[in-house]
Amino acid sequence: MTTNDNPAPEASRFTRRIFLGVSAAAAGYGFGLTAFASDASAAQTSADKTAQTAVAGAPDAIRPFRVSFPQEALVDLRRRISATRWPTPETVTDASQGVRLATMRALARYWATQYDWRKVEARLNALPQFQTTIDGVDIHFIHVRSRHPNALPAIVTHGWPGSVIEQLKIIGPLTDPTAHGGKASDAFDVVIPSIPGHGFSGKPPTTGWDPVRIARAWTVLMRRLGYAQYVAQGGDWGDAISEQMALLAPPELLGIHVNMPATLSPKISRALKYGEPAPADLSADEQHAYQQLDTFFKHGLGYAIEMANRPQTLYGIEDSPVGLAAWMLDHDAASQALIARVFDGQSEGLTRDDILDNITLYWLTRTAISSARLYWENKLAFFDVKNLRIPVAVSVFPDEIYAAPRSWTEQAYPKLIHYNRLEKGGHFAAWEQPKVFAEELRAGFRSLRAKAT
C-alpha cells in the first residue's frame, strides 16, 4: 500500500511523524515447527562448542534448534495460493497504485507450482541453530563460529519484512574469509538472531518489546554465548536495535556497523516532518538525501502507518499468502521494482527463490501480525540522530531509502571509523549484494580488531 499522491496537509504531517517518531503509536512458532537435539546434526555438533552458562533445562540454557514443517502445511499453502481471488488490474502503467497485478500473478504461479520450501529448510538445518529464553521469550539464533583463531564476534540483526534469510549469504564470507577473497585476519564468529515476533523466535505475549528491550536481550544473548568483546551490525530494525545497543554501551560492545544510518539533525527532521522545502544551504548530496526522504514520507509509508497504529487489523495478510506477499513486497519503491524485474525473468541480486524463501518463512511461522507489532511498540525517531558515543561504521547503498551524506554521517557519529558509498545495492544489501556487504564489514571493523582480545 502506498499513500495518496496528494495527501491532505494534516495527513501528510501524520505520515512523517510515523517514521520520525514524533507520535508513533503468545509465544510460539506456528504449526509444525519443532526444536530438538540430534547427535548427528550440525546444530548438535556446534552445541558442544557453544559456550553455555547453564545446564540443560535451566532458564538460561541454550538449546539446539531445527526447522521442520509438516507436508500438510505446504499443501495448504499451495491450495490457498491457487484459490486467490484476484483484484482488477491497476489503472495506471506503473507501480504508483501499489504492487502490480502482473508481478503478483507471476509470483503466485511460481510459488504454487515450482517453488520448493524444503530446500531452504535444508540450508537452515545445515547451520548451527539454537534457541534460548530471554526475558520470558524464546529467542532463535544462528551461531556459526569461524575456524580461524581470533575471529571477531558479530551479532547481525535483520529488519522488516526481513528475517534470518537476509543474512544467509554472508555467513560463509564472514566466517571463512580465505575461501571468499579475504584474509584469515578478517574472520568473524557470526550470531544471527530472529527478532521477537519474527521468524522462529517466540511471539511476545505482552507489550513492551520495542527496539530498546530487544537491544537488552541481544546484550544478554552475547554474554550467554560467552563473548567478552563483540561488534553489532544492522539495517532497518537491525539499525535501530544496534544503535540502542550502542546507547546501552555494554562494556563488551566495541562498535557497530549500520547500512541504514540515523543521521537527521533536528533542523532536517523538523523540515521533513512538516513537509517544508529543503533548507537552502544543503549541498548536492544533502539535497538528494532530503528529496529521497521527502518522497518516502509522502508516498512510501502506507504500510508503516497501518502497522504503527492498527497491526491487529491486518487479518488479511495472516489469512492470504498472496495478500501477505504483496504487503511485504511494497516496502520501498526500489526493492519493489527489483523484485518485479526478477519475476519478469530478469537477472538481479535476488532470485525468485530468495524472495519466496523469506515470504514463506513468514507464512509458515504465522508472524505477519506479530512482526507488525514492532511498529506499534516503537516510539523512537527512526532516522533522527541518537548521539552515539562508540565507534560506528557506515555503508551507504544507492537504492536505500535514503543515501546518507558523509556530512550528516560525520555529525551524527562523532566516532565514525568507516564511511563508504557503494555503486550498487538497496535496502536488503546483505541479501542482494553479499560479497560487497561482507567486504564492508571487514573494512568497517578492521580498526577495532586491534582492541579485541
Side-chain angles (χ1 to χ4, degrees):
M1 179 185 296
T2 54
T3 56
N4 194 309
D5 285 352
N6 296 292
E10 187 59 33
S12 180
R13 288 197 294 273
F14 179 76
T15 298
R16 291 177 175 81
R17 291 186 190 122
I18 293 297
F19 251 65
L20 292 167
V22 178
S23 63
Y29 299 96
F31 294 159
L33 191 60
T34 60
F36 57 87
S38 169
D39 291 337
S41 69
Q44 181 61 51
T45 300
S46 186
D48 293 337
K49 300 177 181 179
T50 298
Q52 298 192 39
T53 59
V55 297
D60 55 353
I62 295 172
R63 309 178 296 274
F65 181 91
R66 186 176 177 86
V67 181
S68 178
F69 287 95
Q71 185 63 24
E72 290 81 0
L74 303 182
V75 171
D76 177 68
L77 170 59
R78 294 189 188 98
R79 178 189 63 79
R80 288 171 180 263
I81 296 168
S82 298
T84 298
R85 187 169 71 173
W86 294 100
T88 56
E90 59 276 3
T91 56
V92 293
T93 58
D94 55 30
S96 59
Q97 292 183 351
V99 185
R100 303 189 70 181
L101 182 62
T103 298
M104 294 311 303
R105 281 193 174 277
L107 180 151
R109 185 165 51 250
Y110 182 79
W111 202 3
T113 62
Q114 298 181 59
Y115 173 73
D116 184 1
W117 164 258
R118 297 302 187 196
K119 290 182 179 180
V120 74
E121 274 193 354
R123 288 176 65 199
L124 288 167
N125 289 333
L127 296 167
Q129 295 181 88
F130 303 91
Q131 192 182 73
T132 191
T133 304
I134 300 176
D135 199 8
V137 172
D138 288 334
I139 303 299
H140 162 266
F141 62 98
I142 297 168
H143 184 200
V144 183
R145 293 177 178 272
S146 175
R147 64 185 176 85
H148 296 292
N150 303 316
L152 179 63
I155 182 167
V156 184
T157 309
H158 65 83
W160 187 93
S163 66
V164 295
I165 298 292
E166 278 187 70
Q167 282 87 28
L168 294 183
K169 296 177 187 177
I170 64 171
I171 293 174
L174 293 180
T175 60
D176 191 11
T178 56
H180 296 84
K183 302 177 181 178
S185 56
D186 291 325
F188 291 86
D189 282 358
V190 177
V191 179
I192 306 173
S194 295
I195 295 173
H198 297 62
F200 306 120
S201 279
K203 301 176 177 111
T206 60
T207 61
W209 278 90
D210 62 359
V212 180
R213 190 167 179 178
I214 298 168
R216 293 195 186 102
W218 279 195
T219 301
V220 171
L221 175 60
M222 294 304 278
R223 287 176 180 166
R224 196 168 289 182
L225 291 173
Y227 287 124
Q229 292 176 312
Y230 62 89
V231 294
Q233 196 287 323
D236 195 87
W237 284 123
D239 166 73
I241 293 164
S242 297
E243 291 206 347
Q244 290 306 308
M245 291 179 73
L247 288 171
L248 291 172
E252 303 94 337
L253 183 61
L254 298 174
I256 69 171
H257 172 278
V258 295
N259 55 290
M260 196 181 81
T263 67
L264 302 192
S265 68
K267 172 185 173 182
I268 297 297
S269 181
R270 185 169 54 252
L272 284 165
K273 181 178 72 173
Y274 292 109
E276 298 173 355
D281 60 348
L282 298 186
S283 68
D285 280 351
E286 293 168 343
Q287 177 78 24
H288 176 65
Y290 191 95
Q291 292 304 321
Q292 285 180 304
L293 285 164
D294 187 51
T295 298
F296 181 66
F297 291 147
K298 286 177 178 175
H299 308 301
L301 274 178
Y303 71 95
I305 295 172
E306 182 65 17
M307 292 195 290
N309 285 277
R310 296 290 188 271
Q312 195 65 29
T313 299
L314 297 170
Y315 293 91
I317 64 173
E318 197 86 45
D319 184 62
S320 165
V322 168
L324 172 65
W327 186 260
M328 293 172 68
L329 262 56
D330 201 3
H331 175 272
D332 66 279
S335 297
Q336 184 191 145
L338 183 150
I339 291 169
R341 294 194 298 271
V342 169
F343 282 99
D344 195 36
Q346 298 184 39
S347 178
E348 295 281 352
L350 299 179
T351 67
R352 293 178 297 180
D353 282 0
D354 286 335
I355 296 157
L356 289 172
D357 288 345
N358 188 56
I359 297 170
T360 306
L361 184 152
Y362 271 77
W363 175 260
L364 292 174
T365 56
R366 299 187 175 185
T367 49
I369 286 180
S370 61
S371 63
R373 292 190 188 117
L374 184 53
Y375 285 82
W376 187 90
E377 293 283 2
N378 179 55
K379 303 300 184 291
L380 301 173
F382 211 101
F383 293 127
D384 284 13
V385 169
K386 304 297 190 302
N387 299 312
L388 306 190
R389 292 292 179 263
I390 72 169
V392 178
V394 173
S395 298
V396 177
F397 290 86
D399 290 330
E400 182 53 271
I401 290 172
Y402 85 109
R406 178 184 285 273
S407 55
W408 291 1
T409 307
E410 289 174 342
Q411 293 170 11
Y413 305 118
K415 293 188 177 180
L416 185 67
I417 55 173
H418 173 83
Y419 176 92
N420 191 26
R421 296 177 72 103
L422 288 307
E423 294 183 358
K424 188 174 184 179
H427 186 74
F428 302 97
W431 201 18
E432 179 196 342
Q433 301 294 329
K435 181 177 184 295
V436 172
F437 191 88
E439 291 170 351
E440 281 296 290
L441 263 64
R442 294 172 191 163
F445 287 131
R446 195 162 283 142
S447 65
L448 298 183
R449 288 183 181 270
K451 300 179 182 179
T453 57

